[in-house]
Amino acid sequence: MTATQPAAPETTSILIVDDMEENLVALEAVLGSLGHVVRAHSGEEALKAMLRQEFAVVLIDVLMPGMNGFETAANIKGLDQTKDVPIILLTGAAVDPNYAYRGYTVGAADFLIKPFDPWLLRTKVNVFLDLFRKNRQLTDQSEQLKRLLTADGGRPTVTPSALPPTCASTEPSYGTDDEDTTDSAERPALLDDTGRLSEVVGQLAQAELLLRDANGPGGADLADRVVELEQAVGRLMTERET
């Protein structure tokens, strides 16, 4: 497989698959500014590439020797690691009218006929790139929320070493000398964690709006997941206040 230099971890990657080098060059010229473009000259090379790294979208030529585009798409959708990657199938003008139906049947998200409008192709690919980035953002926010919660009852874990300087200082406690010092010392920390939970709620609400505005496949489902997380954090904050 021919590829440019490896992308940085945060770079969004696009896989283009075609047995004709000139077609790969043309696709990379159109899509190169959108993300890190990786080339594959066959369906077999495409599958190997997708098992090695994560792609936001893959564009596959239908008419290839050996494993054609339909078979490649079906194999991608058949693997747990790659089944959620959106696929755009590409084919020439003189095609069977049933090709589009067959493409959607094997799990393709879109189907374009060559010669395609470069602006249209960029627009379609950019939709999937935006959805990929927002999905990653949602995942990061979910992980942030999980780090705030413990396994026993959903209460944030607080240790003195994890507190910011204002909470870990040696200022007088909130209670009297007769009160449990552990409980008293944790009060400022709990207030700090409440603020962090409020920040997470705000981030989740922003992610929900972005996903609903994306109009891409799966955006509504991801937005619903965000709402569930918002509700869970809201319940946690209510429990902490009582």
Side-chain angles (χ1 to χ4, degrees), residues 226-242:
V226 173
V227 171
E228 292 177 0
L229 287 173
E230 288 181 66
Q231 294 172 346
V233 176
R235 288 192 296 269
L236 173 62
M237 294 177 66
T238 301
E239 292 173 1
R240 289 170 57 79
E241 292 172 357
T242 58

Side-chain angles (χ1 to χ4, degrees), residues 149-172:
L149 305 178
T150 62
D152 54 348
R155 297 185 65 84
T157 301
V158 180
T159 60
S161 61
L163 297 179
T166 55
C167 293
S169 64
T170 56
E171 294 295 325

